Each structure stands twice: as C-alpha cells, then as structure tokens.
Amino acid sequence: MQLRDYVIRRLILLPFLIIGVSIIVFSLTRIAGSPIGVYLSHEMSAAEVAQLEERFHLNDPLWTQYFYWVKGVFQGDFGWSGVASAAVADVFPAKLAATMELSLFSAFVAVVLGLWLGTFAGSRRNQWQDHVTRVVAVSGASLPLFWFGILLLIVFWANLGWFPVGRSDADIWASINHPTGFYIIDAILAGSLTALWDAIWHLILPALTLGFGAVAIITRMMRSALVEELQQDYVDAARAKGLPERLVLRRHARRNALVPTVTVIGLTLAFLMQGAIAAEIIFRWPGLGRWMASAVVRGDQATIMTYVLFTSVLFLLTNLIVDIIYAKLDPRVRLGD
Amino acid sequence: MTSIETPTENPTRPAIARVQGLKVHFASKKGPVHAVDGVDFDIADGEMLGLVGETGCGKSVTGRAFLGLIPQPPARIAGGRILFRPRRREDTSEDTPEFRPCPTCKGADIVCATCNGSGYDTLDLLAVKPRTMRAIRGRRIAMIFQDPGKALNPILTIGDQLAEVFLQHASADLLADIGGTGDMGGLAAGAVGRAARQESGRLDGILSRVPPVRGHLRRLRAALEDRIAAALAETQISNPRRVIRSYPHELSGGMRQRVMIAQALACDPDLIIADEPTTALDVTIQAKIMELIKMLQEKRKTSVLYISHDLSLVRRTCDRVVVMYAGRVAEVGGVREVFAAPRHPYTRGLLDAIPRSGETRGVLASIPGTVPELVSPPPGCRFADRCVHVMPECTRVNPTLQPLTPDQSVSCFLAHPPAPGAAHKEPELQET
Ligand SMILES: Nc1ncnc2c1ncn2[C@@H]1O[C@H](COP(=O)(O)OP(=O)(O)O)[C@@H](O)[C@H]1O
Ligand code: SF4
Ligand SMILES: [Mg+2]
C-alpha cells in the first residue's frame, strides 16, 4: 500500500478510535464515582444536591449522559474543573503548554542523547566505554522515576540550592508576554536572556527526571540493534568497497539499527506522558500531569475525561508518525498488510 | 630455501599475490583455534585460482585476510605475509605512499623482470596502514560474497550502493566526466569535489542550493548514474536504469549476485576474491553466474581467487587449484594435473565425492570422519586420523608442501617420504 493511502486510511479511522476510547473511559469514570462528588459539602441541603444531580443529568441513563458530554465537547465545553475552579477549556491550553514544554524538551534530549549513546556504545562493544554506558543505562531504566526525581530534589534544591522548583520566577514570568505559552519560545521572542535563562534553569531538574529513563531505554535499544547490524554481511561488504569506518557506521549500520529503535522511541514518548505526572508533582510544575493527579484524587471528572481524550489523540498520532518514519526508513515495510 | 619459500610458484606467469605462512587463530573458551595454520600459495597474474576444501577448513578466513576483513578480536593474525603487487594503471591518484615503485626499474620499465612491468613494489596486505587498505579495497582487490541477499544493504537502493564504489575510488573520473570544476570559485568547487568523494562539509547543504553548484551536482549525479548503468549492463542486467532504483528485496537472487559482481568489477580491480559466489543461489542459475564471472575475468584478464567446495565448477573454470584441509594446504597444482592425478589422499577423497556433490554439501561420503578439532592440533599430518595410508611418521612430523613437478606440489609423505635429517621437519621436532 502507498504510504499516502495508509496515512489517509488511518486518519479516517482516528475519530472512531477516539469515540471508542471515550466511551470506555466515560463508563469507567462514572463507575468510579459521581461527577458531582467534587462539588458536595456537608452544608448542602438535599434540595441543593438534587439540583446538582439534575444539572449533570444523573437521573438519565448512562448513554444519555455520555451524549450530553459529547455535545459539550463539540461546543467547546469540556465541563467545569472543580480542582482548578474554572472551566476546563479555559485552563487547559496553559497547562498543556507547560506539559508539552517539559515532555518535548525531555523527549528531544532523550532521543538525541539516546541515539548518540547507543551508537557510541554499540560501536565500541565490550570496551570500557560500552560498560560505562551500560551501567548508566541500566540504572536509568531501573530507578523508579519518582524516586530519582525526589533524590534530585533533595540534593540539588533542598541541600545545595542550585536549582529552583516550579516553572518560573513569578516576576520574570510577568515581565514578558506569553503568546505561545512555551516559556523558552516566549523568552526568545521577547528577546529576554534573563527569561530564557530562568526558563531553562527551571526546566533542567524535571527534564532530567523525566528523560533519564527514556534515554536509558533508547540507548539500550540502539546499542543492541547496532551490535546486531554490525555483524551483518553488508557491513563487511561496505568495508570491502573501501568505505571509511565512519561511513560504514553512519550510512550502513546505524541507518539499519534505527529501524527497530524508532518503534521503541514511539513507546517511550507515551511513557513520558505518564512520567510527567510524577515529575510535575515533585517539581511543582504547573502542567496537565499535576492537575490530573489532583483531579483523580478529588473525583474531578470533567478534567479526567479531557485529559484522557487528549492523551489518546496524542498517542494515536504518535503511533501514526512512528509508522510513517518506519516506512520511510525501511523500504521492505509494507504498511497495512 | 627459495624452493621451500615459494613451493607453489606458477612457473609460467608472475604472481600478483603471494600468501606466505599465513596463520590466523581465533580465541575460544577452549584455547586458540588454529583456523588457518601456515598456508602458502600464490595467485598468478590473470589466472583464476580455485580454493577448495570442506566447510570449516579456513577458506573464507584465508580469502578475507586479503582485504583485512578478519574480525580482530576474536581473531589474531599469528604469522605470515600476503604480498600483493598492484597492476600498472593510468590513474594513480588513489594510490597512497605505501604504493612504492619497483626498486629495480623505479616504475619506469614496462618490461622490467622484477615487477613484470607493473612498476610497483609488493605490499604486505597484512601490514599496510588502514588508509592504504581502504585504497586497495574495491579498487585493487574486490570481493564477491557468498550470499548476495545479505551482502547488499536492505535499505539502500542498488544505485546508492554501487555509487559508493565510484565515489570512493573514481571521484577524479567523475569530475572529469562533468568537465571539471575549473570554472567555479574555490568554495563551490570544494563542495562539488566533496560530493564526488562522498564527503560533506559544514556549508555543503547551503552551497548545494546555489545555482552553479546545483547544476554541477546534477551533472555529477547524471555522470554517476551513467557509470553505474554501464557497470550493471556489463553483468548482463537487462534494464539497468530500473535496477538502479530498486531495493535488494525487489530483485531475484541471481540478479542480486549480478549486482554484487558489477559492484566488484566497477573499478576494474586487479584481483577478485569470490567466496562461494554461487552457493546461496538457485541451482539453475549457478552455472550462469559462474560463466559470467569467467567471461568477465577472461575479458579483463583479472585475477580471481575462486573459493568453492564444488569441484566440478572449479574444474570447468579454474586454471589452478589449491586444496585446503584443516587450515593447511594439502595439494596445489594445475587443474588438469590435480584432477587427472591427485597425489594427496584427501584430494583423492574429494574427487571421489564429485558425483555425489549435488546432494552432499561439505560432507565427503567417501572419507569417513570429520575435520579435526583445531584447538591445540596434534603434531604431524592434519589428515592422519582419516587417512587410509597413515604411517608412523605421519603422526609425528608435519609434511610440508613439496613440489613434485613444476605444476604440482603436495604435502604428504606418500609423495615425498620424510628424508632422514629432514629439512622439512618442523623445527621444534628436531633433535637437539
Ligand atoms: N568469526 C569467527 N569467530 C570464531 N571462529 C571463527 C570465525 N570465523 C571463522 N572461525 C573459525 O575458522 C574456521 C574456518 O572458517 P572458514 O574460513 O569460514 O571456513 P570455510 O572453509 O568453510 O570458509 C571455522 O571452523 C571456525 O572455527
Ligand atoms: S602424510 Fe600420511 S597421513 Fe597425511 S595424507 Fe599423507 S599418508 Fe596420509
Ligand atoms: Mg566459507
């Protein structure tokens, strides 16, 4: 199948998959508790509770409630977040930008560093550089993310005071405009070095926490794929043509090793969205993850539904992009078969 | 000592390559595996030399040693030399300082007796610098691999893979094809030159968009494609322009091997190492591929080391044959002589197995037993435990390769009984 046809077919399927996901999650959230739980207090009268139940259509069947929710989504109304004391749709963009800044930065560093380290270790198999990389990678993959984050917090914030927590210094944040919501980009647009430095300084610890595991996984995958490719005949054939070792590695072995690694990178990015929840809580990062955590604890169903809807779209799109890269890298891949 | 040093010299033609006492050992848990353990033979200029023996006897390791393609570790070159004398060429731009002129004629004499007119001194392929080895690979000595399905990179097009040979070794020709870069500024000429050498500079991405550079690069690609298409056409590939854009998995096994042959012959090498080039192919096209190699070899007078365990193909295509057994040479000679009158019991066993060779791969029905363990091999003849003629001498003393006639040498005590005081005894066995 042509790549273009495949992408079109997948994009047509996308809404149906999202509907499926939303039905499942809607049912599960309603099983977990009542959507009005977050508003209730002891002072409320029975009449007030009944009024709330009426507003959330709790006396109608579940599927009717679902359709009310879908109707809201199409009108841009994702409900009221009890946790944020604001409409979900109003809070969401800013929080999304915060989370995306953190995850994309971590993902970018993790992919670049992971591919580089994997190549570095794989092309020096069983030499000391490989062993050192292995130790780093295995600890990265096995340290629980929240524990590693707390460790960084204790050492570099509590004890040494080298890094701050939160996303920004309030005064510096207020001193520039925020057209994109991405602090680094906003700082560059405003031409403020102070703001840029503030953004990066705040980003380092949470990004390190979030990216360490991803670097480890990508490094290990890239290394083992490269070791395997370096044993293939075509590598010797490339050498036999007179290619310098640099090109044998870059043009031949590494490009083949990227094929299996790209799949793992796709999964790792989904893992980053999970990890962001812990990293945001630890470093008081004002993103979706921290919001979601409070929402789950307090039964803020509008927030939970929006978060899940968004993550599933993100996940499906990531998968599609991975498939496209995969097909671009390996001409033998026949998508959709 | 001269006759012992070069016992296998072909008297009629000068050698292009000479393997002397080659020893390659592989580290293993049980100790070093003596995979190749003192191999001597030479390849005459322009001949097709067969290298035969059972699977595991060290043929591939010997062939790969020519191109420095033995993985070290686990392997270790434990001794020996591979002397190689390049042929005379018009274009010497790819030579390195290690390509020294012939000491007698200084490269000037095309009938010089020392270098046979090649103008070059010999190089020891086991001792040259990496840069020199890269200049030799693909340009002076090329290799055809056993399984073309594995020796072609699955994610690059055939054209991309063949292009690399030209870009590495014929960039001067390519630049000449497009009329040079003399009309361009230094920066632009640099970018085009680097593209022709498969290099990239920091600014080349930007430079390649500048109109005069872009035009030159387009013509460079066209010139490259012409050369690739011509190389493919030589191996009787019918639609080269289409094949250039194909990926390996879109071609049949026979087509892929034709591509490998085209790639090996692209820069008109002096010597080709063909390691079982038909073993992985369909039986029906094996003969066709062999005929193609033979035809191209005769046309270009290229030397070929043809590694095989198919004796009938060797008989049909080769001038001389080296028979290897367990890391050593058992017998060497002209194909006619060896096939008509094999003097080593192992060669005889191999020849007796020919009618059945269609089904039996590497296993010799007529010789009971298997190749001995090559970790700490016992002294004496490697073939002793399978030989029906074994004598007490055979397990104590190693039979060295001795010429019987100008055309045939054998390492077996049946052919040349161990003389008392034995010049061919191994030193460590001599009484002190
Ligand atoms: N990469 C390797 N690692 C370890 N041992 C090897 C390796 N390659 C070859 N050998 C050893 O060398 C011996 C000869 O191998 P090879 O030259 O491939 O035989 P063949 O005559 O079948 O081509 C093998 O039996 C094996 O013991
Ligand atoms: S030397 Fe002895 S054992 Fe070896 S092949 Fe000759 S007769 Fe047989
Ligand atoms: Mg072999």
Side-chain angles (χ1 to χ4, degrees):
Chain A
M1 191 185 313
Q2 286 271 313
L3 182 58
R4 198 198 50 204
D5 297 348
Y6 175 76
V7 171
I8 291 172
R9 204 175 76 171
R10 285 281 297 268
L11 286 175
I12 292 172
L13 271 174
L14 194 69
F16 296 98
L17 287 168
I18 293 169
I19 290 169
V21 171
S22 67
I23 290 175
I24 292 172
V25 178
F26 189 85
S27 316
L28 290 178
T29 7
R30 286 294 143 97
I31 290 170
S34 167
I36 58 170
V38 70
Y39 308 108
L40 293 182
S41 68
H42 292 297
E43 292 88 57
M44 282 184 175
S45 67
E48 281 171 319
V49 172
Q51 204 182 338
L52 266 176
E53 283 178 344
E54 183 64 26
R55 235 178 74 200
F56 281 87
H57 313 285
L58 291 189
N59 302 318
D60 294 334
L62 192 61
W63 62 267
T64 316
Q65 298 177 29
Y66 174 72
F67 279 113
Y68 277 114
W69 177 77
V70 172
K71 195 175 144 213
V73 168
F74 275 102
Q75 291 167 348
D77 173 13
F78 290 79
W80 180 266
S81 166
V83 171
S85 306
V88 171
D90 292 343
V91 192
F92 194 82
K95 304 241 184 229
L96 173 66
T99 295
M100 280 294 135
E101 183 164 29
L102 174 58
S103 341
L104 288 180
F105 184 77
S106 305
F108 179 75
V109 174
V111 170
V112 171
L113 198 63
L115 292 182
W116 187 83
L117 273 176
T119 309
F120 177 77
S123 57
R124 288 166 185 77
R125 189 186 179 195
N126 290 339
Q127 295 171 25
W128 66 266
Q129 297 97 325
D130 184 25
H131 296 307
V132 171
T133 313
R134 178 179 300 133
V135 171
V136 174
V138 168
S139 38
S142 48
L143 287 183
L145 191 149
F146 64 90
W147 186 68
F148 179 61
I150 290 171
L151 202 72
L152 291 179
L153 188 74
I154 291 173
V155 175
F156 293 104
W157 176 70
N159 292 348
L160 296 171
W162 289 357
F163 292 96
V165 296
R167 194 184 178 197
S168 62
D169 180 286
D171 294 337
I172 302 176
W173 175 270
S175 72
I176 62 168
N177 286 326
H178 293 279
T180 68
F182 284 74
Y183 194 9
I184 292 184
I185 297 176
D186 292 340
I188 293 171
L189 290 180
S192 164
L193 268 183
T194 328
L196 182 62
W197 172 239
D198 186 56
I200 292 172
W201 198 28
H202 280 84
L203 192 55
I204 287 176
L205 285 190
L208 190 60
T209 305
L210 194 52
F212 193 27
V215 169
I217 293 167
I218 296 172
T219 301
R220 290 306 289 164
M221 186 63 216
M222 186 62 189
R223 181 210 173 262
S224 57
L226 189 69
V227 164
E228 191 173 320
E229 293 303 330
L230 280 171
Q231 287 164 356
Q232 302 297 315
D233 278 358
Y234 71 79
V235 170
D236 273 338
R239 290 190 181 117
K241 284 191 268 189
L243 255 64
E245 204 59 25
R246 175 175 47 85
L247 283 183
V248 171
L249 189 66
R250 247 203 343 235
R251 251 178 85 80
H252 291 271
R254 199 174 66 181
R255 264 162 84 161
N256 275 283
L258 276 176
V259 175
T261 311
V262 160
T263 314
V264 172
I265 289 176
L267 293 173
T268 311
L269 296 187
F271 157 89
L272 280 187
M273 286 304 290
Q274 295 283 318
I277 298 179
E280 288 180 8
I281 294 171
I282 294 168
F283 295 100
R284 274 190 250 147
W285 192 264
L288 288 179
R290 207 158 77 111
W291 186 25
M292 175 65 181
S294 321
V296 167
V297 172
R298 293 179 46 196
D300 182 350
Q301 295 199 352
T303 305
I304 297 175
M305 282 305 298
T306 311
Y307 179 86
V308 172
L309 190 69
F310 167 75
T311 337
S312 55
V313 174
L314 190 71
F315 187 74
L316 290 169
L317 286 179
T318 312
N319 266 348
L320 184 58
I321 292 169
V322 166
D323 277 350
I324 293 171
I325 297 177
Y326 194 64
K328 287 266 176 225
L329 281 176
D330 189 345
R332 290 164 300 179
V333 168
R334 299 195 56 79
L335 290 168
D337 289 354
Chain B
M1 287 297 281
T2 36
S3 71
I4 291 173
E5 232 174 67
T6 58
T8 64
E9 190 164 359
N10 182 330
T12 55
R13 278 189 283 193
I16 187 158
R18 178 164 293 170
V19 181
Q20 293 180 334
L22 178 65
K23 290 188 182 186
V24 183
H25 297 176
F26 283 88
S28 80
K29 288 202 180 70
K30 286 187 259 169
V33 177
H34 297 231
V36 173
D37 209 21
V39 162
D40 304 273
F41 63 86
D42 61 45
I43 306 172
D45 196 8
E47 84 170 336
M48 186 140 168
L49 176 67
L51 180 59
V52 301
E54 282 164 278
T55 299
C57 71
K59 306 184 296 294
S60 293
V61 172
T62 304
R64 287 170 156 258
F66 280 77
L67 283 170
L69 289 178
I70 294 172
Q72 293 172 284
R76 186 173 70 87
I77 308 285
R81 298 195 294 179
I82 298 179
L83 299 178
F84 171 68
R85 193 191 300 282
R87 282 183 168 181
R88 184 180 289 277
R89 298 197 167 219
E90 301 276 300
D91 174 19
T92 56
S93 61
E94 304 287 325
D95 292 357
T96 74
E98 281 187 277
F99 284 79
R100 277 181 292 271
C102 166
T104 310
C105 69
K106 305 283 173 252
D109 187 356
I110 56 160
V111 289
C112 168
T114 312
C115 64
N116 184 40
S118 88
Y120 286 106
D121 197 2
T122 56
L123 299 134
D124 180 3
L125 296 176
L126 300 179
V128 294
K129 293 195 182 77
R131 188 162 92 86
T132 304
M133 184 44 94
R134 281 209 308 276
I136 291 170
R137 289 171 173 173
R139 170 83 167 158
R140 298 294 189 159
I141 306 178
M143 184 142 178
I144 301 172
F145 289 80
Q146 178 166 343
D147 187 347
K150 292 184 181 148
L152 287 168
N153 187 334
I155 63 170
L156 293 179
T157 61
I158 301 300
D160 282 344
Q161 304 194 47
L162 258 91
E164 290 185 317
V165 193
F166 292 111
L167 293 171
Q168 286 301 320
H169 301 297
S171 52
D173 295 347
L174 285 171
L175 288 174
D177 285 354
I178 62 169
T181 52
D183 55 329
M184 306 173 75
L187 207 61
V192 176
R194 278 192 296 279
R197 289 192 303 273
Q198 206 180 5
E199 294 167 1
S200 60
R202 207 169 288 276
L203 294 173
D204 288 359
I206 301 164
L207 280 173
S208 66
R209 289 193 186 83
V210 181
V213 179
R214 202 170 65 191
H216 272 77
L217 288 178
R218 202 177 47 236
R219 267 179 286 145
L220 188 70
R221 272 192 295 275
L224 191 54
E225 194 175 310
D226 287 346
R227 284 185 177 252
I228 296 168
L232 288 172
E234 263 217 90
T235 58
Q236 296 162 358
I237 285 174
S238 52
N239 194 347
R241 302 275 167 182
R242 193 178 53 79
V243 171
I244 283 175
R245 273 164 248 299
S246 308
Y247 287 96
H249 72 275
E250 296 166 342
L251 304 178
S252 68
M255 282 285 263
R256 283 185 216 145
Q257 196 60 299
R258 283 174 202 272
V259 168
M260 284 303 290
I261 294 168
Q263 183 169 280
L265 288 165
C267 287
D268 203 6
D270 307 344
L271 171 64
I272 292 172
I273 314 287
D275 190 352
E276 312 216 19
T278 61
T279 308
L281 302 181
D282 216 52
V283 185
T284 50
I285 47 165
Q286 289 189 354
K288 279 212 183 92
I289 293 293
M290 235 16 249
E291 277 162 25
L292 175 68
I293 294 177
K294 182 70 188 165
M295 187 269 287
L296 292 168
Q297 182 257 336
E298 284 179 341
K299 188 168 138 198
R300 301 183 178 209
K301 310 269 184 295
T302 314
S303 312
V304 176
L305 177 64
Y306 170 49
I307 299 173
S308 177
H309 58 245
D310 189 334
L311 280 127
S312 52
L313 279 178
V314 169
R315 175 185 230 159
R316 264 191 288 170
T317 53
C318 292
D319 303 300
R320 290 189 312 133
V321 61
V322 178
V323 181
M324 268 184 86
Y325 183 76
R328 291 206 173 135
V329 176
E331 183 162 0
V332 186
V335 163
R336 206 172 307 127
E337 289 77 9
V338 171
F339 278 75
R343 300 297 300 268
H344 196 287
Y346 178 64
T347 316
R348 260 177 251 149
L350 276 181
L351 291 177
D352 288 346
I354 285 187
R356 266 169 284 184
S357 69
E359 309 106 64
T360 55
R361 253 203 190 174
V363 182
L364 294 176
S366 62
I367 313 174
T370 51
V371 184
E373 190 74 67
L374 295 176
V375 183
S376 56
C381 177
R382 291 284 164 88
F383 192 55
D385 59 350
R386 292 171 80 180
C387 180
V388 288
H389 307 288
V390 63
M391 301 171 283
E393 298 299 320
C394 303
T395 54
R396 287 195 300 111
V397 188
N398 175 39
T400 53
L401 200 57
Q402 300 278 316
L404 295 179
T405 68
D407 274 339
Q408 199 168 0
S409 304
V410 172
S411 57
C412 170
F413 292 134
L414 285 177
H416 45 79
H424 46 264
K425 273 186 184 176
E426 278 191 335
E428 63 266 29
L429 292 172
Q430 277 173 353
E431 270 100 38
T432 44

